[in-house]
Amino acid sequence: MKILRTPEEMQRAAQALRCEGKIIGFVPTMGFLHEGHLSLMKIARERADVTVASIFVNPTQFGPNEDLAAYPRDFERDEKLCRETGVDLLFYPTPETMYLDSHSVWVDEDSLSEVLCGAARPGHFRGVCTVVAKLLNIVLPDFMVLGEKDAQQLRILRRMVRDLNFPVEIISGPTLREADGLAMSSRNKYLSPAERAEAVCLFQGLEKAKELFAAGERDADALKEAICEIINKTTGTVDYIEIADNESLKSFQALEKPVLVALAVKFSGARLIDNAVLGK
Ligand code: AMP
């Protein structure tokens, strides 16, 4: 596995591979890797000639009072995991090479980004879209693999690729979970042992919603209330629980089409998100 540390170096390598006709599969991450990230790399490896992963804690997607400085990092461990998972090229740039001092061009998605995490984290998806647009131009992949764990991000990046005509296919991978159902996340590390035990409430809430939906419940408020009841038994506070159209992310009352149930819960140590699609 080769480590590339500047956009120029990575782009030159990608151009050479494309000239040779190699299929490049790409998995962008912020590092502190877990099995969820590795599962996406395995999906990429199966379809690509060359698997590229990136590790970059993107400063522009963090708000001023968010956890940029505290975001967990362990490059040595990540490097080893990438190597063991069969990554061929690891792109590991610094913020200074990704964002020059005079950086002034941004990618804004202004419909799907208004709701859910976008409402709670202003500017977050502008940072995500901008960095992913840059990464696509640097890595030049044929396809990119993204996790369904970040449901809104996945839908926004699909929209960006469509609307800006990026020549890349997006493949999604399912959410990997701990044994109790908690979605794997780099931020789970912030939870105290007591909070870690409680954090399964997001998954339990989603399971409850699925159960009620399967039994015929089609009222969004009833599902939201059932989830809220489960969260309220813990020390976590609900940031949002939303039932939205699976494509437009618009709020839904009567559940006729496939809907996305998405929630964010704040614990003292971390804000966690999870989601499920009902009626697929
Ligand atoms: P992050 O490092 O959090 O920016 O995530 C990098 C990629 O991994 C994104 O496409 C995420 O959706 C995906 N991802 C994060 N957690 C999981 C998980 N538990 N299972 C599968 N994919 C995940």
Side-chain angles (χ1 to χ4, degrees):
M1 185 182 78
K2 208 169 160 198
I3 300 168
L4 302 144
R5 292 172 193 268
T6 67
E8 294 72 24
E9 207 186 341
M10 179 67 238
Q11 201 176 44
R12 266 199 306 275
Q15 278 165 337
L17 290 164
R18 290 197 74 111
C19 282
E20 289 170 32
K22 301 281 196 225
I23 302 289
I24 303 178
F26 176 46
V27 181
T29 82
M30 297 210 300
F32 209 71
L33 302 176
H34 50 67
E35 284 295 327
H37 296 116
L38 303 184
S39 70
L40 304 184
M41 294 172 191
K42 287 175 193 161
I43 293 174
R45 204 184 53 189
E46 270 172 27
R47 303 176 53 143
D49 298 318
V50 178
T51 300
V52 182
S54 64
I55 295 179
F56 181 58
V57 182
N58 174 37
T60 66
Q61 70 189 67
F62 288 79
N65 301 316
E66 292 184 358
D67 58 339
L68 172 61
Y71 197 84
R73 293 161 168 90
D74 187 345
F75 182 68
E76 240 170 72
R77 180 174 165 276
D78 287 349
E79 181 192 340
K80 184 165 172 280
L81 289 171
C82 286
R83 208 179 286 278
E84 287 167 3
T85 311
V87 169
D88 300 296
L89 299 179
L90 178 57
F91 181 44
Y92 181 54
T94 59
E96 293 72 27
T97 60
M98 285 294 277
Y99 294 102
L100 303 181
D101 282 345
S102 52
H103 180 100
S104 59
V105 178
W106 300 93
V107 181
D108 256 317
E109 191 287 327
D110 64 9
S111 168
L112 305 175
S113 304
E114 305 278 284
V115 295
L116 308 175
C117 287
R121 303 180 69 190
H124 171 66
F125 287 114
R126 181 195 206 225
V128 170
C129 286
T130 302
V131 79
V132 173
K134 285 167 68 64
L135 288 167
L136 291 174
N137 284 333
I138 294 166
V139 175
L140 306 173
D142 293 271
F143 68 89
M144 167 168 72
V145 191
L146 299 173
E148 285 157 19
K149 155 91 188 332
D150 296 278
Q152 188 175 15
Q153 169 174 282
L154 173 63
R155 284 155 184 76
I156 290 171
L157 291 175
R158 281 195 194 284
R159 182 67 63 88
M160 179 187 85
V161 160
R162 185 196 75 177
D163 286 357
L164 298 185
N165 306 90
F166 279 94
V168 67
E169 185 190 350
I170 294 184
I171 296 171
S172 68
T175 302
L176 260 69
R177 297 178 179 281
E178 304 289 354
D180 65 354
L182 172 66
M184 290 181 182
S185 165
S186 308
R187 288 189 168 101
N188 291 347
K189 179 189 154 62
Y190 296 144
L191 300 168
S192 69
E195 287 179 327
R196 167 62 191 84
E198 288 180 335
V200 68
C201 66
L202 283 85
F203 176 68
Q204 286 170 341
L206 293 170
E207 288 297 297
K208 184 72 190 174
K210 280 187 207 167
E211 193 185 302
L212 292 172
F213 186 84
E217 182 59 76
R218 290 294 180 271
D219 179 57
D221 284 340
L223 296 187
K224 285 194 228 174
E225 267 163 40
I227 299 172
C228 201
E229 215 172 280
I230 292 173
I231 309 294
N232 285 342
K233 289 192 184 127
T234 72
T235 58
T237 50
V238 171
D239 192 358
Y240 65 76
I241 300 172
E242 274 301 340
I243 313 258
D245 179 88
N246 192 31
E247 278 175 27
S248 70
L249 300 185
K250 294 215 161 65
S251 256
F252 241 49
Q253 192 51 43
L255 316 179
E256 287 132 17
K257 291 197 287 178
V259 289
L260 178 74
V261 186
L263 74 166
V265 176
K266 275 186 184 156
F267 287 93
S268 75
R271 176 179 175 280
L272 304 180
I273 58 170
D274 205 342
N275 70 86
V277 178
L278 303 182
K280 257 194 287 195

